[in-house]
Amino acid sequence: INLIQRIFTIFQNLGSSAIIYKILKDRKNTLNQIYHRIMFGMSAVNVVQSITCLFSVFVAPRGSPELGRYAIGNVATCEMQGFLMELGKAVPVYNCMLCLHYMLTIGFDM
């Protein structure tokens, strides 16, 4: 399961990176719109979380019994990974903001 998770994480990172690239390529026009700012924020947080998830085994403290020889980190790297994984909880918040934006735009003509 760990290998499958890492493969999907790579695809997730590529997709979010493509969205960021597309927005930044024409930033004068795109960052003026709320939709693009929400998508940029959601994609940026998603990239950070997916990279953190990709390297999660390696930043665990050395000698962790469940991770074996792959754990080469220390307590500080483990805490950093925990913080960055918690930062990923911002993705559903951005998604809620996107839904609210669409509701106001389509439903109330704002």
Side-chain angles (χ1 to χ4, degrees):
I1 294 176
N2 212 359
L3 177 65
I4 294 171
Q5 178 187 7
R6 295 202 189 306
I7 291 171
F8 282 113
T9 299
I10 291 170
F11 288 128
Q12 178 182 359
N13 198 0
L14 289 173
S16 293
S17 298
I19 292 171
I20 290 173
Y21 173 75
K22 185 175 180 183
I23 291 173
L24 289 180
K25 187 172 74 169
D26 189 24
R27 76 186 113 217
K28 290 182 182 178
N29 296 327
T30 56
L31 288 178
N32 292 332
Q33 300 171 1
I34 294 173
Y35 166 77
H36 288 105
R37 280 186 267 162
I38 294 172
M39 288 300 294
F40 178 78
M42 184 165 39
S43 297
V45 171
N46 202 4
V47 165
V48 170
Q49 184 188 20
S50 64
I51 290 173
T52 303
C53 187
L54 192 62
F55 294 110
S56 62
V57 174
F58 304 112
V59 297
R62 185 182 307 263
S64 296
E66 61 274 354
L67 299 175
R69 63 180 182 205
Y70 299 113
I72 57 173
N74 54 32
V75 174
T77 58
C78 186
E79 289 175 353
M80 177 194 66
Q81 176 204 11
F83 172 76
L84 293 175
M85 288 299 285
E86 289 296 314
L87 184 67
K89 290 183 179 178
V91 172
V93 174
Y94 275 112
N95 200 0
C96 288
M97 287 190 288
L98 193 60
C99 291
L100 182 64
H101 169 69
Y102 276 126
M103 183 186 75
L104 293 173
T105 301
I106 296 169
F108 298 106
D109 292 326
M110 294 181 117

